Amino acid sequence: MRDGAIFAKAGLPSIAIVTEAFVELAAFTAEAVGMPAVPRYVLPHPCSGTGDENLARVAREAAPGIIDLLEGRTR
Amino acid sequence: MNLRSTRHQAPDEATALELFHLREWTDGLPVVIPTEERVGDLLAGVELEPDVVIGEIGPGQATVEKIAINAVMAGCRPEHFPVVLAAVRAVTDPEFDIDNMQSTTHGMGPVIIVNGPARDVCGPIASGWGALGPGHRANASIGRALRLCLMNIGGARPGHGDMAALGQPGKFTCCLAEDEEGSPFPPLHTSFGYDSEQSAVTLVGVDAPHSVMMQTNDDDPEAHERILRVVAGAIAIPGANNTQIGNGPVIVVLNPVHAGVLASAGLTRDDVVERLVELAVTPNATMLGWATKRAFRDDNAHLPALRGPEDLVLIVAGGGGMYSAVFSGGLAGSTHPVHAPIDFDFSCELPRVPAP
């Protein structure tokens, strides 16, 4: 989240990607850095350690939504 | 005294305590209710105005007033308060990276090490028998005050502001003094440029302590090297972040007996630290067997647990015997040991000091 806020403050399009377990922390951190609206995309939890095949599937499913956020089609 | 915090009303202290638990303002244990008078008692012992900002923790500003409220809740007396202020100043140093520590899944937290005359004047802060355990009011209250600041000012609640997967008991409180009198080495804070007559806190973000047993023998000419090897082994254990990811600071608490053996062998503090950095490594072949993130090289390298001497904080404490301790590191290099001076001037009488 902090990286996303740093990029956003630098004027670079950015999306913070978090897993479900970290949604509350993400909101808290975004608030703490003074950018409560930093765009974020939520992945299932856990992702790490779930194997290449699953990670590829998660990435395939998430990519269109992340691109939509980056291009401003969704919020 | 002009305090800005919101006043809450309750018919009695028992009800007030339930309110504190209900609002999630405690660490799970009962707290001392921070009445205006009690907070005023702590503030009377320092020269700072209540609205002075010591630092920022996440979304919260750690003002002197807010820190005093949490210190009262933790059970601090007025003489403890300058150490709490110094500890908050240290953790809000960007080098410490407290926001990262608050949100990591690793169960780490700050350890407060106290050096100089404040060990007595602002305590007594224990450095001897059981210094890391229960039974020492100043140690327990000062460490707990910092934790309550991290929770109540910094918003570190389990599962959202604080994402530690398990946490560890040292996150309730962890503060000790260095046994400067029992140590053969100069006090820790003098390595950072303080005079030995000054007082300072050193804060290190680490995992739980790991006991290190070593029965020394005066007839053993290699005793010093054996101590170093067993301590280094405790730094480079398989499950430690430092072994698997590397680059976090660690604390080595040497028992006075172990420290004495090392000093008798002619080793200085710097010599001990350098040798431990050298010894705290894991063969890459072993790492490959553990399939960790660092096990992608196939050479015969030994992977170091520490970047260098700056990542090993070595102090002397504990009752004399055969047990030292190692606090493992974490956060893969984003946190560094920090220090801050303890400013106290109790020339005026401290409020409400009970007769012995």
Side-chain angles (χ1 to χ4, degrees), chain A residues 2 21-22 24-26 28-29 31-33, chain B residues 59 97 99-100 103 105 154-155 160-161 163:
Chain A
R2 289 197 295 170
F22 288 80
E24 277 189 69
L25 175 70
F28 176 81
T29 305
E31 192 81 37
V33 297
Chain B
D97 199 4
D99 291 337
N100 199 357
S103 56
T105 50
H160 30 111
M163 290 303 291

Side-chain angles (χ1 to χ4, degrees), chain B residues 18 36 70 83 87 93 112 126 138-139 172 180 198-199 204 208 255 269 306 336:
Chain B
E18 293 310 313
E36 196 161 344
N70 285 284
V83 187
D93 181 332
I112 306 170
N139 299 43
F172 276 96
E180 296 179 11
Q198 289 179 292
S199 297
V204 194
N255 184 289
R269 180 195 292 270
L306 300 162
H336 299 272

